[in-house]
Amino acid sequence: MDFEEYLNLQSATFAQLYRCLPISLLKKENADDGNRVFMPVSALDRLGYLHIEYPMQFQIQNATTLQTSYCGVLEFTADEGFIHIPTMMMEHLGLRENDLVLLRSTSIPKATFVKLQPHTSDFHKLSEPRYLLEYNFRNFFCLTTGETIAVAAGDRFYYLDVVETRPADAVCVIETDCEVEFDQALDQAEPAAAMQVDGVGAGEPEPARFTGFRMRMDGKPVEEEKKTMPPPATAAAPPKRGLRFGSSAPAAGGGVKEAKSGEKDDGNRFTGKKYSLQF
């Protein structure tokens, strides 16, 4: 982008070059989680004069390599000329401290579907993964296909690849009802692929799969869809696994309603549970 194009862009929307710094320098608890940035107060003043969609949505780009991602804003407390970015986002964009980034306002669609792939199979063994995701996704403004996110459970971090998002490659996960599906973990998928190439394991049962559950990422209730349970899946048609988080109004009262799956299985799969969370 040349300087004239940069000036023309500023006249139509918010677009600003900043030097980037890691959020960890601010030493604010949980600020480095998710994908929200710290901008200077001058940005807030300028955004106030523009017709900006709320919640504020931004495209962030490495000014040298043009690698792009998307983010929200957490605070307008950064020093003038600087923007503080989460560590994982800096790594994904190939940024180092004081590198130039171009931040511009944008609009991305609400998420309707997200597919995640854990790096390790022990994520599927968590006793209450719904609470883990519900807590961590409060720090995420959006998800972008091809990126890796981290969710924390105490001192342990679990890494998840964003394999697919709909209806676009970048989607907003604020105030939306979205289905989430889990792929087989990376440390399980790779050996399975190698066995197929070598012709080993033909006719043997598939490894245990995580079939997921339904939940709300933002702590709000979701309407359960009434549908017929599918027949037991075969190797040619693996079952869908998913969870839901949504934007309908909070239900009165509290607690968790749990319904165990009635589907019979061949004994080699973990069929999961469905939950309707109420707060």
Side-chain angles (χ1 to χ4, degrees):
M1 178 183 296
D2 58 28
F3 187 68
E4 183 177 354
E5 183 181 358
Y6 173 63
L7 290 179
N8 291 335
L9 184 63
Q10 281 194 322
S11 65
T13 185
F14 178 89
Q16 184 65 50
L17 287 167
Y18 292 107
R19 295 286 179 182
C20 70
L21 295 171
I23 281 183
S24 57
L25 295 178
L26 300 177
K27 301 187 183 302
K28 292 194 175 185
E29 186 177 2
N30 299 325
D32 203 24
D33 301 334
N35 50 18
R36 299 171 297 175
V37 302
F38 284 69
M39 299 169 62
V41 68
S42 61
L44 178 60
D45 294 338
R46 183 155 177 252
L47 286 163
Y49 290 102
L50 300 173
H51 297 289
I52 299 298
E53 180 180 337
Y54 287 85
M56 294 181 183
Q57 307 170 22
F58 298 95
Q59 180 192 78
I60 184 169
Q61 185 178 65
N62 184 323
T64 302
T65 66
L66 305 185
Q67 179 74 20
T68 300
S69 186
Y70 296 85
C71 63
V73 58
L74 185 59
E75 292 183 12
F76 291 91
T77 56
D79 291 338
E80 289 302 322
F82 291 89
I83 181 175
H84 289 267
I85 305 175
T87 302
M88 287 195 67
M89 180 174 285
M90 289 189 66
E91 293 175 355
H92 173 73
L93 294 174
L95 293 169
R96 295 183 178 180
E97 196 169 314
N98 289 316
D99 280 351
L100 274 177
V101 297
L102 175 63
L103 194 73
R104 69 175 76 178
S105 57
T106 188
S107 179
I108 56 178
K110 299 281 189 180
T112 59
F113 175 84
V114 173
K115 181 182 287 186
L116 302 173
Q117 184 171 34
H119 284 198
T120 56
S121 57
D122 52 356
F123 176 82
H124 296 323
K125 300 175 183 177
L126 292 171
S127 59
E128 299 292 349
R130 66 191 187 279
Y131 296 131
L132 174 67
L133 292 177
E134 176 186 289
Y135 174 79
N136 281 269
F137 266 66
R138 294 172 182 174
N139 299 318
F140 286 88
F141 168 81
C142 60
L143 293 177
T144 305
T145 298
E147 294 189 353
T148 299
I149 62 174
V151 295
D155 295 331
R156 173 72 186 275
F157 283 89
Y158 295 91
Y159 295 92
L160 307 170
D161 289 340
V162 183
V163 178
E164 181 183 355
T165 58
R166 301 176 193 164
D169 288 340
V171 292
C172 177
V173 293
I174 301 296
E175 295 293 328
T176 185
D177 186 1
C178 174
E179 183 179 355
V180 180
E181 181 178 317
F182 290 98
D183 259 357
Q184 194 173 22
L186 285 175
D187 62 355
Q188 289 180 325
E190 293 177 359
M195 290 176 63
Q196 291 178 2
V197 171
D198 296 336
V200 179
E204 296 182 0
E206 291 183 87
R209 294 179 183 271
F210 176 72
T211 58
F213 47 84
R214 294 183 183 274
M215 62 166 287
R216 296 280 188 178
M217 290 300 187
D218 57 5
K220 298 181 179 181
V222 63
E223 294 182 1
E224 291 289 344
E225 298 178 358
K226 296 182 180 179
K227 57 185 178 181
T228 305
M229 294 296 291
T234 63
K240 280 191 174 183
R241 294 84 68 190
L243 55 83
R244 300 181 69 86
F245 58 93
S247 59
S248 47
V256 177
K257 294 181 180 179
E258 175 179 332
K260 295 184 179 179
S261 173
E263 182 183 3
K264 293 183 179 180
D265 209 342
D266 58 6
N268 293 328
R269 301 174 190 272
F270 170 62
T271 57
K273 300 178 181 179
K274 290 182 180 180
Y275 296 91
S276 176
L277 304 185
Q278 296 181 341
F279 295 90

